Amino acid sequence: EQVSGTEAETRYELTRARITLEMRYLELLRVVIEPDFAEGALDPADLLLEVTPIEELRLLAGRAKVPFGAIELEGRWTLPTLTRGLVSDIFSDDEGFGGRSLGVKGSLRLKEVFLRPGIDVGAYRDSLDEDTTDGAVRLEMRPYFKGSELSLAGYARAGSSFDMGYGYVGSLASKYDQNRVYLLVEGLMMRTADLVAVMPAEDVT
């Protein structure tokens, strides 16, 4: 029911609006520029250079997702929900573990080996003028059947402990995505400055 003398108003907000420019040279080089225009601001979501010297190895430099967190690495186009949830908000948005950062990453995939193992190792900074570096590592394999994946990952973030040292978070996840069935279960554990205290005096798990 509308109050007399007022006008009804409906608002819409885009959660994601991107344009992707991708350039390739054979199978060796790939450049991706992907700005995000959502929420009325221009954000360079992805800005990266990828080099593939051999089929099993990829080297990446620029701004992209860090190799941590199964839910964080899933694109919003493939997630069955609108957001990644409260846990993701705490780990990524509030504490800065995961998400997108500026850095370098090496990826090794052994598709012909039993369990098809892979490893990602990366070093990241929030900006070029930072004097501290974060580290990420992710191991994955496909141990069950087609569409399944088991992963173990860790991330160390500078300035996240109460003494401004490194804070740490680990992830263990299992995913199945096949035949219109999508299931992702992830457990995370974080060691960082007390999230509740106004003036953190200790690290908590």
Side-chain angles (χ1 to χ4, degrees):
E1 182 179 353
Q2 185 175 338
V3 178
S4 177
T6 64
E7 294 183 1
E9 181 179 347
T10 302
R11 295 183 178 180
Y12 298 92
E13 184 177 90
L14 293 174
T15 59
R16 184 176 182 184
R18 295 180 180 177
I19 298 176
T20 302
L21 173 63
E22 183 172 316
M23 296 171 285
R24 291 178 178 268
Y25 176 71
L26 303 177
E27 296 297 325
L28 179 64
L29 295 175
R30 185 171 73 105
V31 176
V32 177
I33 302 173
E34 187 179 84
D36 193 334
F37 300 92
E39 300 178 356
L42 178 60
D43 176 34
D46 287 330
L47 181 60
L48 59 93
L49 168 67
E50 185 180 85
V51 181
T52 308
I54 58 175
E55 183 180 355
E56 295 81 7
L57 179 65
R58 289 190 302 169
L59 305 174
L60 183 148
R63 188 176 191 272
K65 285 186 178 181
V66 305
F68 173 78
I71 293 178
E72 288 298 316
L73 288 172
E74 286 292 293
R76 288 191 176 182
W77 296 118
T78 59
L79 282 173
T81 57
L82 291 176
T83 69
R84 293 187 173 91
L86 178 60
V87 174
S88 173
D89 291 343
I90 295 173
F91 278 82
S92 180
D93 298 339
D94 296 344
E95 295 304 309
F97 292 99
R100 283 179 164 82
S101 286
L102 188 66
V104 294
K105 181 183 76 171
S107 299
L108 180 65
R109 296 290 183 274
L110 302 176
K111 297 180 181 180
E112 303 302 324
V113 177
F114 178 62
L115 299 181
R116 301 173 63 190
I119 182 171
D120 297 316
V121 179
Y124 299 92
R125 292 185 174 185
D126 292 334
S127 63
L128 289 175
D129 56 359
E130 288 281 333
D131 57 0
T132 56
T133 302
D134 300 342
V137 61
R138 182 174 186 268
L139 305 173
E140 67 177 45
M141 62 180 66
R142 289 161 175 80
Y144 312 124
F145 33 77
K146 187 176 181 180
S148 68
E149 179 183 276
L150 182 65
S151 63
L152 177 65
Y155 195 92
R157 179 159 176 80
S160 293
S161 66
F162 82 95
D163 61 357
M164 298 308 293
Y166 279 88
Y168 302 93
V169 62
S171 162
L172 177 63
S174 179
K175 184 178 80 169
Y176 177 77
D177 186 5
Q178 188 75 12
N179 300 326
R180 299 183 181 180
V181 176
Y182 181 93
L183 175 66
L184 196 161
V185 179
E186 182 176 22
L188 300 108
M189 180 174 291
M190 178 170 60
R191 179 71 179 175
T192 185
D194 192 342
L195 302 178
V196 179
V198 177
M199 294 293 292
E202 62 179 356
D203 288 339
V204 296
T205 300

mmCIF file of all heavy atoms in Angstrom, residues 87-134:
data_model
loop_
_atom_site.group_PDB
_atom_site.id
_atom_site.type_symbol
_atom_site.label_atom_id
_atom_site.label_comp_id
_atom_site.label_asym_id
_atom_site.label_seq_id
_atom_site.Cartn_x
_atom_site.Cartn_y
_atom_site.Cartn_z
ATOM 1 N N VAL A 87 30.663 -17.398 4.900
ATOM 2 C CA VAL A 87 32.040 -17.839 5.157
ATOM 3 C C VAL A 87 32.998 -17.174 4.172
ATOM 4 O O VAL A 87 34.073 -16.697 4.537
ATOM 5 C CB VAL A 87 32.152 -19.370 5.073
ATOM 6 C CG1 VAL A 87 33.603 -19.804 5.182
ATOM 7 C CG2 VAL A 87 31.328 -20.017 6.178
ATOM 8 N N SER A 88 32.599 -17.104 2.907
ATOM 9 C CA SER A 88 33.422 -16.442 1.904
ATOM 10 C C SER A 88 33.579 -14.958 2.220
ATOM 11 O O SER A 88 34.664 -14.384 2.049
ATOM 12 C CB SER A 88 32.798 -16.616 0.520
ATOM 13 O OG SER A 88 33.497 -15.854 -0.443
ATOM 14 N N ASP A 89 32.517 -14.324 2.684
ATOM 15 C CA ASP A 89 32.599 -12.904 3.047
ATOM 16 C C ASP A 89 33.639 -12.675 4.140
ATOM 17 O O ASP A 89 34.398 -11.703 4.102
ATOM 18 C CB ASP A 89 31.235 -12.393 3.525
ATOM 19 C CG ASP A 89 30.218 -12.336 2.394
ATOM 20 O OD1 ASP A 89 30.639 -12.376 1.218
ATOM 21 O OD2 ASP A 89 29.010 -12.265 2.695
ATOM 22 N N ILE A 90 33.692 -13.572 5.122
ATOM 23 C CA ILE A 90 34.631 -13.416 6.230
ATOM 24 C C ILE A 90 36.065 -13.665 5.771
ATOM 25 O O ILE A 90 36.965 -12.868 6.011
ATOM 26 C CB ILE A 90 34.262 -14.358 7.394
ATOM 27 C CG1 ILE A 90 32.911 -13.963 7.994
ATOM 28 C CG2 ILE A 90 35.352 -14.345 8.465
ATOM 29 C CD1 ILE A 90 32.389 -14.928 9.027
ATOM 30 N N PHE A 91 36.282 -14.774 5.091
ATOM 31 C CA PHE A 91 37.643 -15.145 4.702
ATOM 32 C C PHE A 91 38.198 -14.230 3.617
ATOM 33 O O PHE A 91 39.353 -13.808 3.692
ATOM 34 C CB PHE A 91 37.661 -16.594 4.194
ATOM 35 C CG PHE A 91 37.729 -17.618 5.280
ATOM 36 C CD1 PHE A 91 36.593 -18.020 5.952
ATOM 37 C CD2 PHE A 91 38.935 -18.172 5.644
ATOM 38 C CE1 PHE A 91 36.652 -18.961 6.964
ATOM 39 C CE2 PHE A 91 39.015 -19.114 6.659
ATOM 40 C CZ PHE A 91 37.870 -19.507 7.319
ATOM 41 N N SER A 92 37.403 -13.932 2.620
ATOM 42 C CA SER A 92 37.898 -13.187 1.467
ATOM 43 C C SER A 92 37.701 -11.688 1.611
ATOM 44 O O SER A 92 38.667 -10.916 1.588
ATOM 45 C CB SER A 92 37.212 -13.681 0.197
ATOM 46 O OG SER A 92 37.691 -12.975 -0.928
ATOM 47 N N ASP A 93 36.464 -11.247 1.762
ATOM 48 C CA ASP A 93 36.176 -9.816 1.779
ATOM 49 C C ASP A 93 36.683 -9.127 3.040
ATOM 50 O O ASP A 93 37.285 -8.048 2.973
ATOM 51 C CB ASP A 93 34.670 -9.578 1.637
ATOM 52 C CG ASP A 93 34.128 -10.107 0.315
ATOM 53 O OD1 ASP A 93 34.937 -10.272 -0.619
ATOM 54 O OD2 ASP A 93 32.915 -10.356 0.223
ATOM 55 N N ASP A 94 36.458 -9.740 4.211
ATOM 56 C CA ASP A 94 36.850 -9.103 5.471
ATOM 57 C C ASP A 94 38.332 -9.277 5.783
ATOM 58 O O ASP A 94 39.005 -8.329 6.198
ATOM 59 C CB ASP A 94 36.020 -9.656 6.632
ATOM 60 C CG ASP A 94 34.545 -9.324 6.491
ATOM 61 O OD1 ASP A 94 34.208 -8.443 5.689
ATOM 62 O OD2 ASP A 94 33.718 -9.965 7.174
ATOM 63 N N GLU A 95 38.862 -10.481 5.583
ATOM 64 C CA GLU A 95 40.234 -10.783 5.991
ATOM 65 C C GLU A 95 41.234 -10.810 4.838
ATOM 66 O O GLU A 95 42.437 -10.874 5.070
ATOM 67 C CB GLU A 95 40.274 -12.125 6.734
ATOM 68 C CG GLU A 95 39.520 -12.108 8.051
ATOM 69 C CD GLU A 95 40.011 -11.019 8.992
ATOM 70 O OE1 GLU A 95 41.234 -10.947 9.224
ATOM 71 O OE2 GLU A 95 39.176 -10.234 9.452
ATOM 72 N N GLY A 96 40.758 -10.778 3.613
ATOM 73 C CA GLY A 96 41.657 -10.692 2.471
ATOM 74 C C GLY A 96 42.318 -11.984 2.046
ATOM 75 O O GLY A 96 43.294 -11.975 1.290
ATOM 76 N N PHE A 97 41.799 -13.131 2.494
ATOM 77 C CA PHE A 97 42.335 -14.417 2.067
ATOM 78 C C PHE A 97 41.598 -14.861 0.808
ATOM 79 O O PHE A 97 40.409 -15.127 0.843
ATOM 80 C CB PHE A 97 42.159 -15.480 3.154
ATOM 81 C CG PHE A 97 42.987 -15.239 4.380
ATOM 82 C CD1 PHE A 97 42.436 -14.654 5.510
ATOM 83 C CD2 PHE A 97 44.321 -15.603 4.406
ATOM 84 C CE1 PHE A 97 43.195 -14.441 6.648
ATOM 85 C CE2 PHE A 97 45.094 -15.405 5.546
ATOM 86 C CZ PHE A 97 44.529 -14.809 6.668
ATOM 87 N N GLY A 98 42.304 -14.960 -0.290
ATOM 88 C CA GLY A 98 41.661 -15.349 -1.536
ATOM 89 C C GLY A 98 41.250 -14.134 -2.347
ATOM 90 O O GLY A 98 41.780 -13.044 -2.191
ATOM 91 N N GLY A 99 40.292 -14.341 -3.234
ATOM 92 C CA GLY A 99 39.856 -13.257 -4.099
ATOM 93 C C GLY A 99 40.863 -12.984 -5.212
ATOM 94 O O GLY A 99 41.593 -13.868 -5.650
ATOM 95 N N ARG A 100 40.916 -11.734 -5.648
ATOM 96 C CA ARG A 100 41.828 -11.326 -6.717
ATOM 97 C C ARG A 100 42.946 -10.464 -6.160
ATOM 98 O O ARG A 100 42.714 -9.597 -5.326
ATOM 99 C CB ARG A 100 41.078 -10.554 -7.800
ATOM 100 C CG ARG A 100 40.261 -11.428 -8.726
ATOM 101 C CD ARG A 100 39.527 -10.607 -9.774
ATOM 102 N NE ARG A 100 39.048 -11.437 -10.860
ATOM 103 C CZ ARG A 100 37.923 -12.138 -10.823
ATOM 104 N NH1 ARG A 100 37.167 -12.086 -9.739
ATOM 105 N NH2 ARG A 100 37.566 -12.891 -11.847
ATOM 106 N N SER A 101 44.158 -10.698 -6.650
ATOM 107 C CA SER A 101 45.323 -9.908 -6.246
ATOM 108 C C SER A 101 46.294 -9.809 -7.408
ATOM 109 O O SER A 101 46.193 -10.525 -8.397
ATOM 110 C CB SER A 101 46.022 -10.535 -5.028
ATOM 111 O OG SER A 101 45.280 -10.331 -3.854
ATOM 112 N N LEU A 102 47.258 -8.926 -7.238
ATOM 113 C CA LEU A 102 48.307 -8.722 -8.227
ATOM 114 C C LEU A 102 49.471 -9.634 -7.901
ATOM 115 O O LEU A 102 49.944 -9.659 -6.761
ATOM 116 C CB LEU A 102 48.753 -7.261 -8.192
ATOM 117 C CG LEU A 102 49.724 -6.790 -9.273
ATOM 118 C CD1 LEU A 102 49.066 -6.823 -10.644
ATOM 119 C CD2 LEU A 102 50.214 -5.389 -8.944
ATOM 120 N N GLY A 103 49.936 -10.431 -8.879
ATOM 121 C CA GLY A 103 51.037 -11.329 -8.568
ATOM 122 C C GLY A 103 51.434 -12.221 -9.717
ATOM 123 O O GLY A 103 51.092 -11.983 -10.885
ATOM 124 N N VAL A 104 52.156 -13.273 -9.375
ATOM 125 C CA VAL A 104 52.618 -14.263 -10.356
ATOM 126 C C VAL A 104 52.226 -15.650 -9.859
ATOM 127 O O VAL A 104 52.152 -15.896 -8.661
ATOM 128 C CB VAL A 104 54.146 -14.179 -10.560
ATOM 129 C CG1 VAL A 104 54.528 -12.859 -11.199
ATOM 130 C CG2 VAL A 104 54.887 -14.374 -9.249
ATOM 131 N N LYS A 105 51.989 -16.566 -10.832
ATOM 132 C CA LYS A 105 51.574 -17.913 -10.480
ATOM 133 C C LYS A 105 52.124 -18.913 -11.487
ATOM 134 O O LYS A 105 52.174 -18.632 -12.688
ATOM 135 C CB LYS A 105 50.046 -18.024 -10.449
ATOM 136 C CG LYS A 105 49.532 -19.408 -10.064
ATOM 137 C CD LYS A 105 48.012 -19.477 -10.111
ATOM 138 C CE LYS A 105 47.491 -19.555 -11.528
ATOM 139 N NZ LYS A 105 46.038 -19.843 -11.593
ATOM 140 N N GLY A 106 52.533 -20.063 -10.969
ATOM 141 C CA GLY A 106 52.916 -21.176 -11.824
ATOM 142 C C GLY A 106 51.967 -22.330 -11.609
ATOM 143 O O GLY A 106 51.638 -22.667 -10.465
ATOM 144 N N SER A 107 51.499 -22.948 -12.708
ATOM 145 C CA SER A 107 50.551 -24.057 -12.638
ATOM 146 C C SER A 107 51.098 -25.251 -13.401
ATOM 147 O O SER A 107 51.498 -25.107 -14.559
ATOM 148 C CB SER A 107 49.193 -23.653 -13.221
ATOM 149 O OG SER A 107 48.627 -22.577 -12.510
ATOM 150 N N LEU A 108 51.096 -26.413 -12.761
ATOM 151 C CA LEU A 108 51.557 -27.652 -13.386
ATOM 152 C C LEU A 108 50.421 -28.666 -13.356
ATOM 153 O O LEU A 108 49.872 -28.951 -12.291
ATOM 154 C CB LEU A 108 52.771 -28.205 -12.649
ATOM 155 C CG LEU A 108 53.379 -29.502 -13.196
ATOM 156 C CD1 LEU A 108 53.955 -29.277 -14.588
ATOM 157 C CD2 LEU A 108 54.443 -30.043 -12.245
ATOM 158 N N ARG A 109 50.033 -29.190 -14.521
ATOM 159 C CA ARG A 109 48.973 -30.186 -14.622
ATOM 160 C C ARG A 109 49.527 -31.427 -15.324
ATOM 161 O O ARG A 109 50.061 -31.331 -16.429
ATOM 162 C CB ARG A 109 47.789 -29.645 -15.426
ATOM 163 C CG ARG A 109 47.093 -28.450 -14.778
ATOM 164 C CD ARG A 109 46.331 -28.859 -13.536
ATOM 165 N NE ARG A 109 45.606 -27.762 -12.937
ATOM 166 C CZ ARG A 109 46.113 -26.909 -12.071
ATOM 167 N NH1 ARG A 109 47.385 -27.039 -11.696
ATOM 168 N NH2 ARG A 109 45.388 -25.936 -11.563
ATOM 169 N N LEU A 110 49.375 -32.580 -14.683
ATOM 170 C CA LEU A 110 49.860 -33.843 -15.237
ATOM 171 C C LEU A 110 48.656 -34.705 -15.587
ATOM 172 O O LEU A 110 48.264 -35.597 -14.842
ATOM 173 C CB LEU A 110 50.774 -34.543 -14.231
ATOM 174 C CG LEU A 110 51.996 -33.715 -13.777
ATOM 175 C CD1 LEU A 110 52.777 -34.453 -12.707
ATOM 176 C CD2 LEU A 110 52.887 -33.379 -14.966
ATOM 177 N N LYS A 111 48.080 -34.439 -16.737
ATOM 178 C CA LYS A 111 46.818 -35.073 -17.122
ATOM 179 C C LYS A 111 46.964 -36.551 -17.457
ATOM 180 O O LYS A 111 45.984 -37.292 -17.417
ATOM 181 C CB LYS A 111 46.214 -34.322 -18.304
ATOM 182 C CG LYS A 111 45.852 -32.879 -17.990
ATOM 183 C CD LYS A 111 45.256 -32.179 -19.204
ATOM 184 C CE LYS A 111 44.909 -30.729 -18.887
ATOM 185 N NZ LYS A 111 44.337 -30.043 -20.070
ATOM 186 N N GLU A 112 48.168 -36.964 -17.813
ATOM 187 C CA GLU A 112 48.365 -38.362 -18.193
ATOM 188 C C GLU A 112 48.793 -39.230 -17.016
ATOM 189 O O GLU A 112 48.951 -40.442 -17.168
ATOM 190 C CB GLU A 112 49.420 -38.445 -19.306
ATOM 191 C CG GLU A 112 49.089 -37.627 -20.544
ATOM 192 C CD GLU A 112 47.761 -38.027 -21.167
ATOM 193 O OE1 GLU A 112 47.445 -39.235 -21.151
ATOM 194 O OE2 GLU A 112 47.037 -37.133 -21.646
ATOM 195 N N VAL A 113 48.987 -38.629 -15.864
ATOM 196 C CA VAL A 113 49.418 -39.350 -14.670
ATOM 197 C C VAL A 113 48.193 -39.800 -13.875
ATOM 198 O O VAL A 113 47.143 -39.156 -13.907
ATOM 199 C CB VAL A 113 50.346 -38.465 -13.806
ATOM 200 C CG1 VAL A 113 50.752 -39.172 -12.520
ATOM 201 C CG2 VAL A 113 51.577 -38.062 -14.612
ATOM 202 N N PHE A 114 48.325 -40.900 -13.147
ATOM 203 C CA PHE A 114 47.242 -41.421 -12.318
ATOM 204 C C PHE A 114 46.725 -40.345 -11.364
ATOM 205 O O PHE A 114 47.498 -39.640 -10.715
ATOM 206 C CB PHE A 114 47.735 -42.635 -11.531
ATOM 207 C CG PHE A 114 46.712 -43.226 -10.607
ATOM 208 C CD1 PHE A 114 45.530 -43.753 -11.091
ATOM 209 C CD2 PHE A 114 46.939 -43.237 -9.234
ATOM 210 C CE1 PHE A 114 44.583 -44.300 -10.241
ATOM 211 C CE2 PHE A 114 45.999 -43.778 -8.377
ATOM 212 C CZ PHE A 114 44.822 -44.310 -8.879
ATOM 213 N N LEU A 115 45.410 -40.194 -11.299
ATOM 214 C CA LEU A 115 44.706 -39.208 -10.485
ATOM 215 C C LEU A 115 44.808 -37.787 -11.042
ATOM 216 O O LEU A 115 44.289 -36.854 -10.455
ATOM 217 C CB LEU A 115 45.189 -39.208 -9.021
ATOM 218 C CG LEU A 115 45.007 -40.510 -8.258
ATOM 219 C CD1 LEU A 115 45.509 -40.376 -6.832
ATOM 220 C CD2 LEU A 115 43.542 -40.933 -8.258
ATOM 221 N N ARG A 116 45.510 -37.613 -12.150
ATOM 222 C CA ARG A 116 45.622 -36.317 -12.827
ATOM 223 C C ARG A 116 45.954 -35.183 -11.842
ATOM 224 O O ARG A 116 45.202 -34.218 -11.708
ATOM 225 C CB ARG A 116 44.332 -36.010 -13.574
ATOM 226 C CG ARG A 116 43.970 -37.051 -14.612
ATOM 227 C CD ARG A 116 42.604 -36.789 -15.197
ATOM 228 N NE ARG A 116 42.568 -35.523 -15.910
ATOM 229 C CZ ARG A 116 41.453 -34.957 -16.363
ATOM 230 N NH1 ARG A 116 40.281 -35.555 -16.142
ATOM 231 N NH2 ARG A 116 41.494 -33.817 -17.001
ATOM 232 N N PRO A 117 47.069 -35.275 -11.147
ATOM 233 C CA PRO A 117 47.395 -34.262 -10.132
ATOM 234 C C PRO A 117 47.769 -32.924 -10.754
ATOM 235 O O PRO A 117 48.194 -32.837 -11.916
ATOM 236 C CB PRO A 117 48.599 -34.880 -9.412
ATOM 237 C CG PRO A 117 49.247 -35.730 -10.455
ATOM 238 C CD PRO A 117 48.125 -36.293 -11.272
ATOM 239 N N GLY A 118 47.621 -31.885 -9.950
ATOM 240 C CA GLY A 118 48.014 -30.544 -10.364
ATOM 241 C C GLY A 118 48.432 -29.726 -9.163
ATOM 242 O O GLY A 118 48.020 -29.995 -8.034
ATOM 243 N N ILE A 119 49.268 -28.735 -9.396
ATOM 244 C CA ILE A 119 49.718 -27.851 -8.323
ATOM 245 C C ILE A 119 49.789 -26.420 -8.840
ATOM 246 O O ILE A 119 50.212 -26.176 -9.973
ATOM 247 C CB ILE A 119 51.092 -28.295 -7.758
ATOM 248 C CG1 ILE A 119 51.503 -27.369 -6.596
ATOM 249 C CG2 ILE A 119 52.155 -28.342 -8.845
ATOM 250 C CD1 ILE A 119 52.714 -27.849 -5.835
ATOM 251 N N ASP A 120 49.350 -25.479 -8.018
ATOM 252 C CA ASP A 120 49.468 -24.044 -8.287
ATOM 253 C C ASP A 120 50.265 -23.422 -7.152
ATOM 254 O O ASP A 120 49.986 -23.679 -5.971
ATOM 255 C CB ASP A 120 48.094 -23.371 -8.342
ATOM 256 C CG ASP A 120 47.240 -23.901 -9.477
ATOM 257 O OD1 ASP A 120 47.776 -24.065 -10.584
ATOM 258 O OD2 ASP A 120 46.032 -24.133 -9.251
ATOM 259 N N VAL A 121 51.234 -22.581 -7.501
ATOM 260 C CA VAL A 121 52.021 -21.850 -6.514
ATOM 261 C C VAL A 121 52.070 -20.386 -6.945
ATOM 262 O O VAL A 121 52.387 -20.097 -8.113
ATOM 263 C CB VAL A 121 53.452 -22.413 -6.389
ATOM 264 C CG1 VAL A 121 54.248 -21.607 -5.371
ATOM 265 C CG2 VAL A 121 53.416 -23.887 -5.998
ATOM 266 N N GLY A 122 51.745 -19.471 -6.020
ATOM 267 C CA GLY A 122 51.706 -18.064 -6.384
ATOM 268 C C GLY A 122 52.198 -17.152 -5.289
ATOM 269 O O GLY A 122 52.207 -17.506 -4.112
ATOM 270 N N ALA A 123 52.648 -15.955 -5.692
ATOM 271 C CA ALA A 123 53.061 -14.890 -4.779
ATOM 272 C C ALA A 123 52.292 -13.632 -5.161
ATOM 273 O O ALA A 123 52.216 -13.283 -6.352
ATOM 274 C CB ALA A 123 54.568 -14.648 -4.872
ATOM 275 N N TYR A 124 51.739 -12.914 -4.154
ATOM 276 C CA TYR A 124 50.800 -11.835 -4.442
ATOM 277 C C TYR A 124 51.010 -10.620 -3.532
ATOM 278 O O TYR A 124 51.495 -10.743 -2.405
ATOM 279 C CB TYR A 124 49.361 -12.340 -4.289
ATOM 280 C CG TYR A 124 49.043 -13.462 -5.230
ATOM 281 C CD1 TYR A 124 49.223 -14.790 -4.836
ATOM 282 C CD2 TYR A 124 48.598 -13.205 -6.520
ATOM 283 C CE1 TYR A 124 48.953 -15.828 -5.713
ATOM 284 C CE2 TYR A 124 48.328 -14.241 -7.391
ATOM 285 C CZ TYR A 124 48.505 -15.542 -6.993
ATOM 286 O OH TYR A 124 48.250 -16.568 -7.864
ATOM 287 N N ARG A 125 50.602 -9.463 -4.067
ATOM 288 C CA ARG A 125 50.577 -8.217 -3.308
ATOM 289 C C ARG A 125 49.285 -7.472 -3.621
ATOM 290 O O ARG A 125 48.714 -7.638 -4.693
ATOM 291 C CB ARG A 125 51.780 -7.342 -3.653
ATOM 292 C CG ARG A 125 53.108 -7.916 -3.175
ATOM 293 C CD ARG A 125 54.248 -6.945 -3.429
ATOM 294 N NE ARG A 125 55.499 -7.432 -2.831
ATOM 295 C CZ ARG A 125 56.623 -6.743 -2.812
ATOM 296 N NH1 ARG A 125 56.683 -5.537 -3.389
ATOM 297 N NH2 ARG A 125 57.704 -7.248 -2.229
ATOM 298 N N ASP A 126 48.854 -6.640 -2.662
ATOM 299 C CA ASP A 126 47.651 -5.842 -2.900
ATOM 300 C C ASP A 126 47.906 -4.763 -3.944
ATOM 301 O O ASP A 126 46.997 -4.353 -4.667
ATOM 302 C CB ASP A 126 47.165 -5.213 -1.596
ATOM 303 C CG ASP A 126 46.634 -6.267 -0.621
ATOM 304 O OD1 ASP A 126 46.183 -7.333 -1.092
ATOM 305 O OD2 ASP A 126 46.678 -6.028 0.595
ATOM 306 N N SER A 127 49.134 -4.269 -4.023
ATOM 307 C CA SER A 127 49.511 -3.256 -5.010
ATOM 308 C C SER A 127 51.014 -3.336 -5.247
ATOM 309 O O SER A 127 51.748 -3.974 -4.484
ATOM 310 C CB SER A 127 49.131 -1.848 -4.527
ATOM 311 O OG SER A 127 49.830 -1.516 -3.353
ATOM 312 N N LEU A 128 51.499 -2.679 -6.295
ATOM 313 C CA LEU A 128 52.913 -2.743 -6.653
ATOM 314 C C LEU A 128 53.812 -2.100 -5.611
ATOM 315 O O LEU A 128 54.982 -2.476 -5.457
ATOM 316 C CB LEU A 128 53.138 -2.071 -8.013
ATOM 317 C CG LEU A 128 52.596 -2.823 -9.236
ATOM 318 C CD1 LEU A 128 52.768 -1.986 -10.493
ATOM 319 C CD2 LEU A 128 53.281 -4.175 -9.385
ATOM 320 N N ASP A 129 53.306 -1.105 -4.874
ATOM 321 C CA ASP A 129 54.151 -0.411 -3.901
ATOM 322 C C ASP A 129 54.148 -1.069 -2.518
ATOM 323 O O ASP A 129 54.738 -0.538 -1.575
ATOM 324 C CB ASP A 129 53.741 1.059 -3.786
ATOM 325 C CG ASP A 129 52.267 1.232 -3.419
ATOM 326 O OD1 ASP A 129 51.566 0.210 -3.270
ATOM 327 O OD2 ASP A 129 51.820 2.382 -3.301
ATOM 328 N N GLU A 130 53.477 -2.211 -2.383
ATOM 329 C CA GLU A 130 53.514 -2.941 -1.116
ATOM 330 C C GLU A 130 54.920 -3.505 -0.888
ATOM 331 O O GLU A 130 55.630 -3.852 -1.829
ATOM 332 C CB GLU A 130 52.512 -4.091 -1.140
ATOM 333 C CG GLU A 130 51.058 -3.649 -1.062
ATOM 334 C CD GLU A 130 50.639 -3.309 0.348
ATOM 335 O OE1 GLU A 130 51.225 -3.867 1.297
ATOM 336 O OE2 GLU A 130 49.731 -2.485 0.500
ATOM 337 N N ASP A 131 55.331 -3.598 0.388
ATOM 338 C CA ASP A 131 56.634 -4.176 0.690
ATOM 339 C C ASP A 131 56.519 -5.555 1.332
ATOM 340 O O ASP A 131 57.501 -6.124 1.788
ATOM 341 C CB ASP A 131 57.431 -3.244 1.610
ATOM 342 C CG ASP A 131 56.704 -2.934 2.912
ATOM 343 O OD1 ASP A 131 55.582 -3.439 3.100
ATOM 344 O OD2 ASP A 131 57.262 -2.189 3.732
ATOM 345 N N THR A 132 55.313 -6.112 1.353
ATOM 346 C CA THR A 132 55.105 -7.467 1.865
ATOM 347 C C THR A 132 54.429 -8.308 0.790
ATOM 348 O O THR A 132 53.702 -7.795 -0.061
ATOM 349 C CB THR A 132 54.231 -7.473 3.131
ATOM 350 O OG1 THR A 132 52.981 -6.825 2.858
ATOM 351 C CG2 THR A 132 54.940 -6.756 4.272
ATOM 352 N N THR A 133 54.669 -9.613 0.843
ATOM 353 C CA THR A 133 54.159 -10.517 -0.187
ATOM 354 C C THR A 133 53.386 -11.661 0.447
ATOM 355 O O THR A 133 53.842 -12.261 1.422
ATOM 356 C CB THR A 133 55.329 -11.086 -1.018
ATOM 357 O OG1 THR A 133 56.061 -10.002 -1.598
ATOM 358 C CG2 THR A 133 54.815 -11.991 -2.126
ATOM 359 N N ASP A 134 52.218 -11.953 -0.106
ATOM 360 C CA ASP A 134 51.422 -13.103 0.319
ATOM 361 C C ASP A 134 51.822 -14.332 -0.501
ATOM 362 O O ASP A 134 52.366 -14.202 -1.602
ATOM 363 C CB ASP A 134 49.934 -12.831 0.110
ATOM 364 C CG ASP A 134 49.445 -11.623 0.886
ATOM 365 O OD1 ASP A 134 50.144 -11.209 1.828
ATOM 366 O OD2 ASP A 134 48.364 -11.097 0.545
#
